[in-house]
Amino acid sequence: GQQLNQSPQSMFIQEGEDVSMNCTSSSIFNTWLWYKQDPGEGPVLLIALYKAGELTSNGRLTAQFGITRKDSFLNISASIPSDVGIYFCAGQWQKLVFGQGTRLTINP
Amino acid sequence: DAGVTQSPTHLIKTRGQQVTLRCSPKSGHDTVSWYQQALGQGPQFIFQYYEEEERQRGNFPDRFSGHQFPNYSSELNVNALLLGDSALYLCASSLARYFEQYFGPGTRLTVT
């Protein structure tokens, strides 16, 4: 079945640093989505990408849909304490397939 | 504009029992998908409902069943509960089947 490899699994950074995480797959997707999940809550949609090569920003977040349609990355610039949480990539063809998540911890 | 709502928030059941979870989609959305999220894992797709029919299904046994009502709300039913069914159950809604999905807060199910 379809699987997503998300890396890194965890990140420990200083406040103000930039963050980069990515997802790769052996399968092609027609949509890539990035979510953030806080403890005990449902995932919150951050960015949706619909076209290969598309680069989209949402405030300090920037994500790109890979040209091969098999990968995507998410960058967070100038991290702040509220960025702490688990970030999930998700690829959609007919159903939504999630990566394993990247846990972001910020040292003040 | 109300987002996706789920009930109950928490639930404790005993092995062998049956459970029903409920979901109301975001206003204007007609498609509901259900996911199971084990601790420390990403959500796993259970099934999707559109026009009151199950349209897609993930790798879950027939003990997991669902329903969508004319107002687009949905239920997830799990029969013969196992300890391994303990998880956060998430509902997501979308405008049509292939658009971005918005998640509710989830129902935490504990099976003892």
Side-chain angles (χ1 to χ4, degrees), chain A residues 63-105:
Chain A
Q64 184 161 29
F65 191 144
I67 288 291
T68 64
R69 296 171 63 190
K70 294 181 178 181
D71 63 317
S72 177
F73 72 75
L74 174 71
N75 288 339
I76 305 173
S77 63
S79 59
I80 60 177
S82 63
D83 291 334
V84 167
I86 302 177
Y87 292 80
F88 288 100
C89 63
Q92 182 164 338
W93 180 249
Q94 292 183 326
K95 61 181 181 180
L96 203 55
V97 179
F98 280 80
Q100 307 98 314
T102 295
R103 181 181 296 274
L104 179 61
T105 303

Side-chain angles (χ1 to χ4, degrees), chain B residues 36-74:
Chain B
Q36 181 194 67
Q37 187 176 26
L39 207 59
Q41 303 293 319
Q44 296 290 316
F45 175 73
I46 302 175
F47 43 53
Q48 182 185 74
Y49 276 84
Y50 172 70
E51 292 185 338
E52 301 180 49
E53 290 190 16
E54 183 184 296
R55 299 293 179 171
Q56 295 180 68
R57 189 178 184 91
N59 295 324
F60 281 82
D62 292 343
R63 298 187 297 109
F64 289 77
S65 63
H67 189 76
Q68 186 178 34
F69 299 94
N71 66 353
Y72 307 120
S73 67
S74 177

Side-chain angles (χ1 to χ4, degrees), chain A residues 1 30-31 33 35 37 40-45 48 50 88 92-101 103, chain B residues 35 37 40-45 48 56-59 88 90 97-106 108:
Chain A
N30 59 9
T31 303
L33 305 167
Y35 291 88
Q37 187 174 27
E41 299 182 12
V44 174
L45 181 64
Y50 298 103
F88 288 100
Q92 182 164 338
W93 180 249
Q94 292 183 326
K95 61 181 181 180
L96 203 55
V97 179
F98 280 80
Q100 307 98 314
R103 181 181 296 274
Chain B
Y35 295 81
Q37 187 176 26
Q41 303 293 319
Q44 296 290 316
F45 175 73
Q48 182 185 74
Q56 295 180 68
R57 189 178 184 91
N59 295 324
L88 180 68
L90 296 162
R97 296 174 60 191
Y98 303 114
F99 285 76
E100 65 267 19
Q101 297 182 21
Y102 294 83
F103 283 81
R108 173 69 63 185

